[in-house]
Amino acid sequence: MAAFLQVTLAGLVTGSLYGLLALGIVLIYRATGVLNFAYGAIGAIGVSVMYELIARGHFNFWLALLCALIFSFIFGFLLERIFARPVLNAPVFTKAIATLALALVLQTIADQIWPELAQSVRFATPFDSITTRIGGVYIRLTDIIIIGTASIAMAALTLFLTKSKIGIAMRAAAENMSTARLMGAPVSMLIALTWAIGSLVAALAGIMEAANLNYVGVHMLDSALLYVFIGAVIGGIESMPGAVIGGVLLGIADNILALYLAGHTLGPVNIGDPGVRESIIFAGFVILLFLRPQGLLGQRQLRRV
Amino acid sequence: MSSQFPLQNTHRNGASIARTTLEQTALFLRQNWLRLSGIAAALIFFFALPAMFDQIFGFSADFELHRVSLIGIFIIAAFAQNILTGYAAQPSLGNAAFFGVSGYMVVWLVNDLNQPYWLGLVAACAVAALLGIVTGGPALRISGAYLAIASLGLVMLANSILTLWDTTAGRESYLFNNIPAALTDDHSLYYFVLWVVIITLYLGYNLTRSRIGRAFTAIRDDEAAAESFGVNLTRYKLLAFTISATLTGLAGGLYATWGGTASSSMSSVDQTIAFLAMIVIGGLGSIIGSILGAIFVGLIPLLLGLLPNVITVGTVQIQITTLNTGIYGVLLLLALIYFPMGLQTIPALLQKFLQRRKQS
Amino acid sequence: MTIIQPLLSIRGLTVQFGGLTALNSLDLTILPNQIFALVGPNGAGKTTALNCISGFVQPNAGSIEFNGIDILRKGCSARVRIGISRTFQSGQLFKSHTVLENLLIAQHSAMKADLFTGLLPFGPARSEEQRARANAMEILDMLGLTAYANIYAGMLPFGVQKITGVARALAAKPKLLLLDEPAAGVPHEDAMALAQNLREWRDHFQVTMLLIEHNIPFVQAISEHVCALDYGEKLAEGTPQDVLKNPAVLEAYLGRDDTQKEDADDNSHHS
């Protein structure tokens, strides 16, 4: 039972990070119709900037965090202006492949600036060593901070989009760009803002992942990104709460499967192998979508004649 | 607005429709001379390429020619993706699953089961086709971004299973030792691939201009209208999945032959997105687009590899090799920004340019 | 007196969307070679009736007989094959295809080429293709569209798109042609000319026409028989003169605000 709770906690930690990343992806997808394959690279650059400030600038952890988040916000804004703007009205596939090209460019730039981050480098936080034990379950302060921060960030973002004037305008622009423009909304500014917030969220999630794993690397979010896409789609890619739920479910399922498959064999196959776990998750995902094509919380689309 | 209505039935002339075959041929030649001469030039170029390679590259030629064959394999895979995504408008990213499975099937059948090569290739295509039907059926229920990510999940599933097969069998990748002798030499492999590409594209060209191909593109343009004229949406989408999977299977079998091995990286997310990238860069719903896109994705890294490792500008030394990926990304971005409808528009632009020169 | 066998016979057709009754026990009888107009304000159920006949909407009750055959359980493609084709209010042409190709796609059901014959540059698929092309060119010629044969449908001016929609539906060689607001957005003089042309094409192609329309002068100019609907119920039926002067019909058109019922009509578009 303790082991089960322990992996559930780990699942909740990775899950809330997946959920946060999924939220950022859904945000940009709804605003611009782009499946942003560069999202992992954008987040990794935010983490790398923080690493730079701590390691070379000798900043205090919290100041570095603040600066990295501000940097990511501006960085996202600039990315939209320089990169996403020219392809905004291109066909949807063109936009998706363009983000892929962007990921290649960003990763090359990051590799040039931080060659040492091609491998994993230790990433320390002020609260690393603080751990408590409740009923056989070890709980790190890091775990609590991650789950708490991710929940607050997700709630804040949802409130911002549904309650604030700017947030509502952003959603209107996402629904129908030309109508929003006719009604006087500064659409181009709103889309840039979406990218800026998206980038901020990516950096925040990336930094928490670095705190969780205790290491930082330019490619640290690459493998997570696919899980995040899957999480977003499980929840329903038009739905923000859906994205969060999908991400959390995936994180928990992954960790629990890892626990129960470890050390077992099935004939010649070692089912403790991560490959088996992945197969089960991907197969489950594909089957789930076959059964519920619009995701858990997505709306079924009506066809017009 | 009244001038927009072609309501006057003044020039009814039934005789103008019936033309002799000779006249039709002449008209066809006159209208398509640029395209036809382009095809002829391309055929001559590709058939003469090995000879030119030998003269230009000398000893290292075989290696380069080997890489050129890979582009041919990519052309088949790109065309397969295009049938599904460009013609039938299904945003599926699952093709690398068929690519990998078919590669493993060929090696398994020919290596381990000692079947003749051609049978292995045909059987691998059949397995891919079957997988295409099995996965395509349920996939019809899913649309848009959901289908894209769900099919990506299929690729990851194939990747995990193939990796697991390798780990269980205790190998890094699946070595293909039984390749027919005739295909181990780079020249014959090149011509084999070239012929397969030519035949595939020629049959594909006929298909896209037939009743079947038009049904695909009618679905793409307007599902309701297509249905109202009797196009069975389910049947034709499934057919597109099957054709696409079969051709990807063919490409996968050739790829295993080309590399002398099948590895789970054939069914990777990178590979499947590369297929999509090819048709997006080349142009959706276009054969010439499939070719140009595959050449772009296959050739640019090859050309970047030919750059010197270090360039010295003044006193600054630039490590080119570490920049290759970034340069490739930038070129990709430029292509997408300047040719949002794909490189397929180049011939039309060229034709316009030539006509303007002729007029002035 | 001889009794003419009706081409289309609708009995008790009822369609409900959720709690909303779009059509309530509608009876229609359309005779061969007739030009039959279905009129009524927005939300009257015209589009729903058309969608039921072309197979996009399954009614909750009632029967539809075409040439004496029950077609209620038949899908779209079976209905095209036995001779029902339609146009769409918003055109819905195959935009990335030329006008000629649009007419070839319309003949999909009549053609037989499959995957394997389609791959080859010769054989039955090609001769069938030649016949389909000849048929298409003949229709384009009749409708004055020959000059547009190789123009992409997405690039046509509005008026030509409308006629191309008719040409496409005719290419399926229908016995019954369903016209979804053929005169919508067409200026008055053109609408009158269009009415004249449609009558001419009816005679030439020996086709029965069922149209739904808002444009009353156009309906007067073209139709031989009119049925007026409101709230899914029949208000009046008969010659254009009688029906369009009927007080109940006038009331339905002029006496009420159209916008209240937009919702009902919107629903009838879904299927």
Side-chain angles (χ1 to χ4, degrees):
Chain A
M1 191 59 195
F4 178 79
L5 288 176
Q6 189 73 59
V7 293
T8 309
L9 176 68
L12 215 51
V13 171
T14 38
S16 54
L17 290 179
Y18 287 167
L20 192 57
L21 285 166
L23 198 59
I25 281 175
V26 168
L27 186 71
I28 293 179
Y29 175 76
R30 292 216 318 188
T32 56
V34 175
L35 278 178
N36 194 343
F37 287 105
Y39 203 64
I42 294 172
I45 284 185
V47 191
S48 304
V49 166
M50 182 162 173
Y51 159 83
E52 172 81 20
L53 293 176
I54 292 177
R56 300 216 191 108
H58 303 291
F59 276 46
N60 159 302
F61 177 84
W62 300 104
L63 185 62
L65 174 68
L66 184 69
C67 291
L69 291 182
I70 294 172
F71 166 84
S72 295
F73 187 82
I74 299 169
F75 183 59
F77 193 88
L78 292 177
L79 269 187
E80 199 281 337
R81 282 293 141 120
I82 298 162
F83 153 79
R85 188 52 51 89
V87 291
L88 181 63
N89 295 315
V92 54
F93 294 122
T94 308
K95 289 196 276 196
I97 296 300
T99 64
L100 194 79
L102 176 69
L104 297 179
V105 175
L106 290 181
Q107 264 160 10
T108 309
I109 293 174
D111 282 336
Q112 294 301 307
I113 302 178
W114 301 287
E116 71 272 28
L117 292 188
Q119 276 91 43
S120 307
V121 173
R122 193 179 146 69
F123 183 83
T125 62
F127 37 88
D128 264 347
S129 50
I130 307 171
T131 310
T132 177
R133 189 177 163 182
I134 302 172
V137 180
Y138 287 95
I139 302 175
R140 299 179 299 166
L141 182 56
T142 313
D143 295 336
I144 297 171
I145 291 178
I146 289 175
I147 295 173
T149 313
S151 313
I152 293 170
M154 289 186 275
L157 201 56
T158 314
L159 276 180
F160 170 71
L161 286 171
T162 49
K163 296 285 186 281
S164 80
K165 214 173 152 190
I166 301 178
I168 292 170
M170 280 169 68
R171 280 168 61 221
E175 294 287 322
N176 192 328
M177 224 177 270
S178 46
T179 312
R181 194 168 282 143
L182 282 176
M183 291 171 72
V187 170
S188 118
M189 192 48 119
L190 291 172
I191 291 175
L193 190 62
T194 310
W195 273 74
I197 295 176
S199 164
L200 174 80
V201 167
L204 183 63
I207 289 166
M208 290 198 286
E209 175 76 342
N212 181 35
L213 303 172
N214 276 129
Y215 79 78
V216 52
V218 166
H219 300 280
M220 60 182 288
L221 292 178
D222 288 4
S223 56
L225 193 63
L226 288 166
Y227 273 79
V228 170
F229 270 117
I230 289 181
V233 165
I234 287 179
I237 198 154
E238 279 92 22
S239 154
M240 301 240 180
V244 173
I245 293 171
V248 172
L249 278 182
L250 204 61
I252 294 177
D254 192 33
N255 280 280
I256 289 181
L257 274 178
L259 172 70
Y260 286 105
L261 292 178
H264 296 282
T265 51
L266 189 73
V269 182
N270 168 21
I271 60 173
D273 190 283
V276 176
R277 189 174 81 223
E278 283 172 15
S279 305
I280 293 175
I281 285 182
F282 297 142
F285 162 66
V286 172
I287 291 168
L288 182 77
L289 265 196
F290 285 163
L291 296 177
R292 205 175 150 77
Q294 70 277 29
L296 293 175
L297 296 187
Q299 299 284 316
R300 191 110 183 85
Q301 301 226 321
L302 285 171
R303 191 161 62 92
R304 285 185 81 84
V305 174
Chain B
M1 191 174 272
S2 63
S3 61
Q4 292 180 0
F5 271 81
L7 291 178
Q8 324 76 343
N9 297 329
T10 45
H11 38 259
R12 248 176 250 160
N13 184 3
S16 71
I17 296 162
R19 290 198 191 88
T20 66
T21 321
L22 195 66
E23 276 171 340
Q24 272 179 359
T25 316
L27 186 73
F28 178 77
L29 287 177
R30 209 160 47 238
Q31 284 170 344
N32 295 291
W33 67 271
L34 193 70
R35 177 184 300 190
L36 291 173
S37 43
I39 292 171
L43 283 178
I44 293 170
F45 173 80
F46 284 115
F47 274 100
L49 190 64
M52 293 193 286
F53 246 115
D54 286 355
Q55 283 175 351
I56 299 168
F57 290 97
F59 281 108
S60 67
D62 278 353
F63 171 69
E64 298 298 340
L65 192 62
H66 191 229
R67 298 292 297 267
V68 177
S69 309
L70 180 60
I71 296 176
I73 297 170
F74 280 163
I75 290 177
I76 298 172
F79 180 58
Q81 180 80 55
N82 222 336
I83 288 195
L84 188 56
T85 309
Y87 289 90
Q90 300 303 302
S92 168
L93 291 173
N95 273 7
F98 312 128
F99 193 66
V101 168
S102 156
Y104 275 72
M105 282 304 295
V106 168
V107 181
W108 183 59
L109 286 166
V110 180
N111 239 19
D112 293 14
L113 302 188
N114 273 316
Q115 298 301 315
Y117 177 76
W118 67 267
L119 187 67
L121 204 55
V122 170
C125 289
V127 168
L130 203 66
L131 276 180
I133 297 174
V134 170
T135 57
L140 296 182
R141 287 169 41 77
I142 312 174
S143 59
Y146 294 95
L147 177 57
I149 304 294
S151 50
L152 215 51
L154 190 70
V155 171
M156 294 189 268
L157 178 61
N159 182 277
S160 308
I161 292 174
L162 294 178
T163 309
L164 202 62
W165 188 2
D166 282 343
T167 6
T168 310
R171 59 179 182 232
E172 279 288 302
S173 68
Y174 204 175
L175 282 181
F176 194 177
N177 302 317
N178 254 358
I179 303 172
L183 294 179
T184 47
D185 144 60
D186 284 343
H187 271 80
S188 16
L189 182 69
Y190 172 87
Y191 281 113
F192 177 61
V193 172
L194 183 60
W195 274 112
V196 176
V197 170
I198 291 172
I199 293 168
T200 305
L201 292 186
Y202 179 64
L203 295 180
Y205 171 79
N206 288 332
L207 186 73
T208 57
R209 293 169 58 86
S210 76
R211 171 176 176 267
I212 311 288
R214 279 194 305 263
F216 292 157
T217 39
I219 292 174
R220 173 187 71 191
D221 281 5
D222 194 314
E223 285 199 358
E227 199 179 2
S228 85
F229 287 105
V231 176
N232 183 328
L233 301 182
T234 313
R235 182 188 303 162
Y236 281 94
K237 285 180 187 175
L238 196 56
L239 187 61
F241 267 101
T242 313
I243 296 173
S244 187
T246 313
L247 285 181
T248 310
L250 176 63
L254 291 176
Y255 185 87
T257 316
W258 174 86
T261 179
S263 83
S264 61
S265 66
M266 288 174 73
S267 285
S268 66
V269 171
D270 287 351
Q271 185 62 66
T272 212
I273 291 180
F275 293 153
L276 181 69
M278 288 174 200
I279 65 166
V280 168
I281 295 165
L284 295 177
S286 151
I287 290 179
I288 189 80
S290 313
I291 299 172
L292 293 176
I295 291 178
F296 187 99
V297 173
L299 193 64
I300 300 282
L302 206 65
L303 295 180
L304 290 176
L306 294 179
L307 286 176
N309 284 341
V310 181
I311 291 181
T312 315
V313 183
T315 53
V316 186
Q317 284 199 339
I318 302 174
Q319 293 280 336
I320 290 295
T321 13
T322 57
L323 290 178
N324 275 353
T325 320
I327 298 173
Y328 176 62
V330 170
L331 290 174
L332 199 58
L333 273 179
L334 290 176
L336 293 172
I337 291 172
Y338 289 104
F339 299 96
M341 303 310 288
L343 300 176
Q344 56 152 330
T345 46
I346 290 178
L349 293 175
L350 198 69
Q351 193 163 15
K352 218 178 261 174
F353 176 73
L354 287 177
Q355 276 168 355
R356 206 175 299 152
R357 291 245 335 233
K358 216 193 268 176
Q359 282 165 3
S360 62
Chain C
M1 189 177 136
T2 55
I3 298 166
I4 308 171
Q5 170 80 27
L7 182 70
L8 186 76
S9 164
I10 294 177
R11 293 286 163 263
L13 196 67
T14 303
V15 178
Q16 281 160 338
F17 296 110
L20 210 89
T21 303
L23 277 180
N24 191 10
S25 194
L26 178 73
D27 294 339
L28 286 181
T29 303
I30 300 173
L31 302 178
N33 286 341
Q34 202 170 37
I35 299 187
F36 191 111
L38 213 48
V39 300
N42 282 331
K46 308 183 299 287
T47 307
T48 309
L50 199 76
N51 281 339
C52 282
I53 301 168
S54 63
F56 280 116
V57 171
Q58 268 299 321
N60 300 69
S63 72
I64 305 178
E65 279 190 5
F66 179 78
N67 249 345
I69 312 163
D70 176 22
I71 60 167
L72 213 53
R73 300 279 154 244
K74 290 187 192 292
C76 280
S77 64
R79 297 189 198 198
V80 190
R81 221 171 295 130
I82 60 173
I84 301 175
S85 73
R86 66 171 290 174
T87 68
F88 292 86
Q89 192 189 335
S90 54
Q92 297 191 232
L93 297 177
F94 303 115
K95 291 192 177 60
S96 70
H97 293 80
T98 65
V99 170
L100 176 64
E101 285 166 348
N102 266 271
L103 269 67
L104 293 179
I105 295 168
Q107 297 177 63
H108 180 87
S109 290
M111 296 169 76
K112 291 193 182 61
D114 57 18
L115 180 57
F116 296 101
T117 51
L119 288 172
L120 302 171
F122 48 79
R126 294 301 127 174
S127 49
E128 174 188 77
E129 184 88 4
Q130 289 299 322
R131 286 194 301 276
R133 259 165 211 276
N135 176 41
M137 287 311 290
E138 200 182 311
I139 291 166
L140 290 180
D141 194 41
M142 178 69 197
L143 271 61
L145 292 170
T146 311
Y148 297 97
N150 293 314
I151 310 283
Y152 286 100
M155 298 164 86
L156 296 172
F158 173 76
V160 181
Q161 285 193 23
K162 290 230 126 185
I163 307 297
T164 304
V166 178
R168 183 177 66 172
L170 282 171
K173 295 189 177 159
K175 294 191 186 76
L176 175 65
L177 177 60
L178 307 170
L179 299 165
D180 190 351
E181 305 209 12
V186 177
H188 182 74
E189 309 87 75
D190 287 338
M192 291 305 114
L194 179 62
Q196 181 60 37
N197 278 284
L198 282 171
R199 277 171 165 265
E200 215 176 283
W201 300 335
R202 186 266 312 259
D203 296 339
H204 183 270
F205 294 106
Q206 290 292 303
V207 64
T208 308
M209 291 180 179
L210 168 63
L211 55 114
I212 61 176
E213 191 47 75
H214 273 299
N215 184 335
I216 296 300
F218 176 77
V219 171
Q220 256 165 339
I222 188 171
S223 54
E224 295 153 352
H225 196 89
V226 176
C227 172
L229 295 181
D230 194 24
Y231 287 122
E233 309 243 7
K234 198 189 279 181
L235 280 183
E237 189 176 353
T239 64
Q241 292 76 6
D242 292 346
V243 172
L244 298 174
K245 286 196 188 92
N246 185 309
V249 177
L250 288 175
E251 213 255 22
Y253 260 100
L254 305 169
R256 273 199 326 268
D257 189 2
D258 263 3
T259 50
Q260 317 165 355
K261 286 178 294 171
E262 289 277 338
D263 288 355
D265 205 43
D266 267 12
N267 278 331
S268 74
H269 286 279
H270 297 304
S271 70

